[in-house]
Amino acid sequence: MASIGAMPDGKRMSFDAMAGPDLDPAVYKTLLKSTKAIPWKIDWATMRFAYIGPQIEALLGWKQDSWISVEDWATRIHPDDRDYVVNFCVAQSQAGVDHEADYRALTPDGGYVWIRDVVHVERNADGGVDSLIGFMFDISERKKTEQELLQLQRDLEAMSFEDGLTRIANRRMFDNHLESEFGSAAKSGQPLSMIMLDIDHFKQFNDRYGHLQGDDCLRRVAAGLKSLATRPRDIVARYGGEEFVLLLPDTDAAAALDYARRCVAELAELQIPHESSSCGEFITASLGVGTVVPSEDMSAVGFTEQVDQMLYAAKRGGRNRIEAGS
């Protein structure tokens, strides 16, 4: 009978005992080596380890003979995982259900290793639980890959709400924030303001200076506008083309008009030449401003349309001006 190591009480356990009557011990040994699994067995009546593979020390740093009972297993689970894993495994074992659990196993130096425990419930002749036989797998690399994929997903989600050219919020993010802030304003009774800004004669700018200079112009304008929106809930977004929008929660009409004037001043300070403009030698913009305290018969879309009408009123009125609605 081939021995696979000493148990904590000094006795020996065979491959036959671990593998069971239907599995050739030689095949079992080969499986262990090829999968790098760490086998273990717990006696249900005593809740003590009947066996745990010697590889456990290389993996976790705990000596093989230190694994005496399930208490040793439980205390070596990361505190953040312990309660769930222990409760889950005990409940499944009591029900006689094979199961598996992923958790962080602690090492003596305070680190941890991601483990997957695969557990088989052995029953006695009466149908009760006799023992638990399982395998521990090191899944640290898998977890690392999962975390990297999760971070990549988060990055992609962030990018989906960011304008690729200007690196400010895009139309999608603006629409989401508008719905949220409109609902909040309706509940709180606080004013919500919006500023729409369109760069004057931008097509002529691109025609004269080229699209690369046009892109640079948009980036500089975006950065300038973003510097004005300093409160956590303020948002500056590229609404489309050369059009930008500022959403200003808890901002009344007077404050919104002041914001718009600061936008005009910010563009003037940029001093981006625009020799093809009829509005001046530098980049200018037309702005529409609106403020609302939402009521039941109003919608976020309707509010946006009102501000958009203010913007076009500014453009029809000669551009390079602010048109504000009540």
Side-chain angles (χ1 to χ4, degrees):
M1 186 176 289
S3 173
I4 62 172
M7 294 188 294
D9 58 6
K11 297 179 181 179
R12 309 290 286 182
M13 175 170 283
S14 68
F15 278 116
D16 300 66
M18 280 293 294
D22 298 326
L23 183 60
D24 187 299
V27 175
Y28 182 72
K29 185 175 181 180
T30 301
L31 285 173
L32 289 182
K33 289 182 178 180
S34 63
T35 62
K36 297 182 180 179
I38 301 174
W40 55 264
K41 183 174 183 178
I42 289 176
D43 177 69
W44 185 255
T46 63
M47 289 294 171
R48 293 171 68 86
F49 278 94
Y51 177 80
I52 191 165
Q55 313 100 305
I56 193 69
E57 183 173 353
L59 177 61
L60 297 181
W62 303 100
K63 291 185 178 298
Q64 183 188 21
D65 60 9
S66 71
W67 296 81
I68 307 298
S69 70
V70 292
E71 187 68 20
D72 299 304
W73 166 73
T75 57
R76 293 167 183 174
I77 296 176
H78 193 286
D80 292 346
D81 303 336
R82 186 177 300 144
D83 288 345
Y84 169 75
V85 171
V86 172
N87 292 336
F88 171 74
C89 290
V90 169
Q92 295 296 97
S93 298
Q94 288 175 334
V97 178
D98 292 350
H99 55 278
E100 59 183 56
D102 294 353
Y103 58 88
R104 288 164 289 181
L106 298 174
T107 58
D109 61 2
Y112 64 83
V113 176
W114 272 102
I115 293 292
R116 172 163 293 175
D117 242 337
V118 179
V119 184
H120 169 64
V121 181
E122 282 283 305
R123 295 178 179 273
N124 55 34
D126 298 327
V129 179
D130 177 77
S131 59
L132 306 178
I133 296 177
F135 297 91
M136 290 183 182
F137 298 87
D138 178 0
I139 60 168
S140 299
E141 286 301 317
R142 180 184 303 178
K143 281 293 180 179
K144 180 181 178 182
T145 300
E146 288 176 359
Q147 290 299 318
E148 290 173 348
L149 290 174
L150 180 61
Q151 185 59 51
L152 177 61
Q153 180 181 356
R154 289 171 178 166
D155 292 344
L156 290 173
E157 287 175 353
M159 290 173 62
S160 71
F161 287 103
E162 182 181 89
D163 178 62
L165 175 64
T166 62
R167 300 302 182 190
I168 62 173
N170 61 13
R171 174 71 176 273
R172 180 183 176 189
M173 176 174 270
F174 169 77
D175 288 341
N176 286 350
H177 275 261
L178 175 61
E179 288 293 336
S180 175
E181 293 295 352
F182 197 85
S184 295
K187 292 179 181 179
S188 67
Q190 294 299 309
L192 176 66
S193 292
M194 184 189 305
I195 300 171
M196 283 191 169
L197 179 151
D198 191 273
I199 299 175
D200 295 324
H201 304 299
F202 192 69
K203 181 181 183 300
Q204 289 88 333
F205 184 95
N206 277 332
D207 290 343
R208 180 174 181 83
Y209 300 103
H211 287 282
L212 290 180
Q213 288 296 319
D215 289 347
D216 184 63
C217 172
L218 293 174
R219 282 191 287 264
R220 292 178 64 186
V221 169
L225 296 177
K226 189 175 182 179
S227 69
L228 301 177
T230 56
R231 299 177 303 174
R233 290 165 57 199
D234 293 345
I235 183 172
V236 179
R238 186 180 180 194
Y239 199 69
E242 65 273 20
E243 194 170 349
F244 297 86
V245 61
L246 289 80
L247 189 65
L248 308 169
D250 298 338
T251 304
D252 61 22
L257 184 57
D258 181 62
Y259 260 98
R261 290 169 178 154
R262 289 163 59 193
C263 290
V264 171
E266 181 67 26
L267 262 62
E269 286 187 13
L270 293 177
Q271 291 194 323
I272 301 174
H274 189 357
E275 296 178 2
S276 298
S277 174
S278 60
C279 299
E281 58 181 322
F282 299 108
I283 281 289
T284 60
S286 301
L287 296 87
V289 185
T291 301
V292 68
V293 177
S295 60
E296 292 184 359
D297 60 341
M298 302 178 67
S299 69
V301 173
F303 176 43
T304 305
E305 289 175 349
Q306 291 176 13
V307 180
D308 195 45
Q309 290 173 7
M310 292 297 101
L311 170 61
Y312 277 94
K315 294 169 75 171
R316 289 194 301 269
R319 302 178 187 268
N320 189 24
R321 56 179 289 158
I322 300 170
E323 195 75 33
S326 57

